[in-house]
Every structure is written in structure tokens, then in C-alpha cells.
Amino acid sequence: MIKGFYMRYFKLKHWGLNGWLLLVLALMSALQLACKKDLFEANINTVDNSITLTANLGPDQGISLSEQNSEMTLLILKWSDPGYFTDTARGNVIISYILDLDTSASFGAGKSYNLGVSVTSDSLTGLSLNNKLLAIGCTPSSANIVFTRIRSVFNGDTLASNTISFTATPYALPLPALLIMGEGGWTTPATRTNGYLLTSAKNDNKYEGYINFSYANWGGANCKLLSTVDNSGYGWGTDAYTLQKGADISTLGNLWITPCPNYMKVNVDLDALTISYTPIKFS
């Protein structure tokens, strides 16, 4: 009996040791695979080539914009593939591209535009380029030196192309505006009219204006906002200081501006979809 117990104990102990050995070997194998995967990820992040950017600019490297050529393609940018390593088992890596525009070669205060993935060219119409030039602070009707480049982004790594500079003369456009559209008995002009609009001085989706809310119903005024950029409407959001955007302004709830009647300074941020208004008095 004692001998049988000893043999069973020895077998359990023996198989237990084997089990532990197998577990250790399995963990070591998994660790090796993880290390190989990390090495592969490092390799796939490695850039083999630089990005070469070219543009369809003439000998004078200049572009003059006007309403007459606003629908024409004026700037075509093309760039080479950055040459990330790929793995046949996983397929090609997905690389996204960004267009940078600035009035400084340091690209410290310009604008960046996402171009999408798997693209190696971008075409800009006169209107699109003109809007971008105004957005980075170019002076209308004057020659401005502009710098552009392409950046590729993959897995947190960024690679910039060579920089191309050119001279551009944009034309002035009416400032983007939000028209105040009176509701609930308050009638306002149906077209762009000074005194009934908010403008975006920097073309950055932030609007400001001074509005005389002369009409009052139960101490407030009802209205909606209509964009001159894309005809989008903006109405009541979740409270008196938030907005909801809609393609059909008639389906939106009315904003409630209070206290009225009052002369108000109104600020709108279309990125944050917020509105604020403060009664003011002119001395």
C-alpha cells in the first residue's frame, strides 16, 4: 500500500515537472514570436526612399488667381511613393498623406489638409487654391510667396517631401457669413444684408457679429442661421448655447436668444457647434 502511494506520488510529481517544462518552453516560444513581430513592425516602419514632390509650375513659378479661372485646375501636385517595406502575407501598408501650405518655409503657422490614403497626386482648382491661400494669410491682389510640401503618415511615423515654393496672387472674396434668419414672427432679410449676419474674419469657422434683436416674443427672439458657404442651416442643439447642423434649415429647431429686445454681440464656433450672445450698449 505504501509502495503504491509512493508510485502514484512519483508519477504526479514527474508529470508535473514535465508540465512546467512544457509551459516554460511555450512561453519562450511566444516571446520569440513577439520579438520577431516587433522586429517586423520596426522594419515595416523603415523608410527606404524619400518623397519627391513636383508641381506643374511655369518658368516664373507663379499663379495668378481670379474669378475667371476659379473653376480651372491651376495647380497639380504629384509625389513619389515613400517606399515603406511591405509583407506579402499582410499586403501593402496603408499610408495617408497630408498637404501643407504656408507663407513660411518652416511650416509653423500654415494649414494642413488630409488628402486620404493611397494617393500620389492632388489637383486644385482656382477657387480651392484661392480659399487655401486666404486661409494661410495671403494678401489679395498681391504676390505672395507660398511654400508647400507633402507628408506621409504611417503608424505614427511622418516623412516630409521636398519643399516647393511659388508665387501666388489670390483675389478677395466676401467673408464667409452666417445669415440671421428670423422666425416666430420676426422677419429678417432673405439675402445677405449688413446688420443681419455674422462673419468669419479669418475664414476659420469662428463667426462674430453685432445684431439688433429688435423683436421680442415672451422676452426672447427666435431665429436660425444660414451659411453662405454651403447653404447649411444651424438651429437649436441640446440647449440655448449649442447648435445643430442640417441640410434643410426648415427641419431645425429655432434658436432662442434672450433677453430681447436687445443689441447683442453674437459669437458662433461651427467646429464646436456652440453659440454665445452678450447684450451690449454703445456709449
Side-chain angles (χ1 to χ4, degrees):
M1 180 177 178
I2 295 175
K3 181 179 179 181
F5 174 81
Y6 176 80
M7 291 300 295
R8 285 194 298 272
Y9 172 78
F10 177 80
K11 287 181 179 180
L12 287 173
K13 184 177 181 181
H14 177 71
W15 284 107
L17 289 173
N18 283 343
W20 279 109
L21 287 173
L22 289 173
L23 179 60
V24 170
L25 290 174
L27 289 173
M28 290 178 65
S29 178
L31 183 60
Q32 277 188 318
L33 288 174
C35 290
K36 288 181 179 179
K37 179 179 181 296
D38 289 340
L39 288 173
F40 173 78
E41 296 293 354
N43 284 336
I44 207 171
N45 269 339
T46 302
V47 177
D48 194 26
N49 300 304
S50 60
I51 302 176
T52 301
L53 176 65
T54 60
N56 64 326
L57 297 168
D60 60 350
Q61 298 286 99
I63 301 176
S64 182
L65 300 105
S66 66
E67 292 185 5
Q68 286 68 39
N69 61 17
S70 62
E71 300 301 320
M72 298 172 57
T73 299
L74 298 185
L75 180 62
I76 301 175
L77 300 173
K78 295 182 179 181
W79 55 92
S80 60
D81 186 280
Y84 287 91
F85 291 121
T86 59
D87 175 57
T88 53
R90 298 188 182 193
N92 292 330
V93 297
I94 298 176
I95 307 168
S96 60
Y97 293 94
I98 297 172
L99 167 66
D100 292 328
L101 281 173
D102 205 335
T103 54
S104 168
S106 64
F107 295 96
K111 295 286 186 179
S112 298
Y113 303 91
N114 290 320
L115 301 179
V117 299
S118 303
V119 293
T120 54
S121 67
D122 187 42
S123 299
L124 297 175
T125 64
L127 180 60
S128 176
L129 179 58
N130 194 75
N131 288 338
K132 288 177 171 59
L133 294 174
L134 295 178
I136 63 174
C138 289
T139 304
S141 303
S142 298
N144 301 260
I145 298 177
V146 180
F147 299 88
T148 186
R149 68 181 180 185
I150 294 293
R151 284 183 291 136
S152 68
V153 180
F154 170 71
N155 200 25
D157 288 344
T158 301
L159 177 67
S161 73
N162 56 297
T163 298
I164 290 179
S165 64
F166 60 95
T167 302
T169 305
Y171 60 96
L173 289 172
L175 290 176
L178 294 174
L179 308 186
I180 305 294
M181 311 301 290
E183 298 282 350
W186 183 34
T187 302
T188 57
T191 58
R192 182 172 183 146
T193 304
N194 289 339
Y196 294 93
L197 53 82
L198 313 174
T199 57
S200 179
K202 295 183 179 180
N203 199 15
D204 59 358
N205 272 348
K206 293 179 175 57
Y207 291 76
E208 182 176 292
Y210 296 86
I211 309 298
N212 183 14
F213 291 92
S214 57
Y215 180 85
N217 184 15
W218 293 92
N222 289 301
C223 67
K224 298 174 185 177
L225 306 176
L226 181 64
S227 171
T228 61
V229 176
D230 58 6
N231 287 322
S232 293
Y234 295 87
W236 181 272
T238 56
D239 55 42
Y241 302 101
T242 58
L243 302 171
Q244 180 182 354
K245 180 180 179 180
D248 184 356
I249 194 172
S250 66
T251 64
L252 300 173
N254 293 334
L255 298 172
W256 175 248
I257 310 297
T258 185
C260 287
N262 241 317
Y263 213 98
M264 298 273 196
K265 178 187 177 185
V266 183
N267 291 90
V268 167
D269 186 335
L270 292 187
D271 291 328
L273 289 177
T274 58
I275 181 171
S276 63
Y277 33 88
T278 306
I280 60 172
K281 290 184 178 181
F282 295 101
S283 56

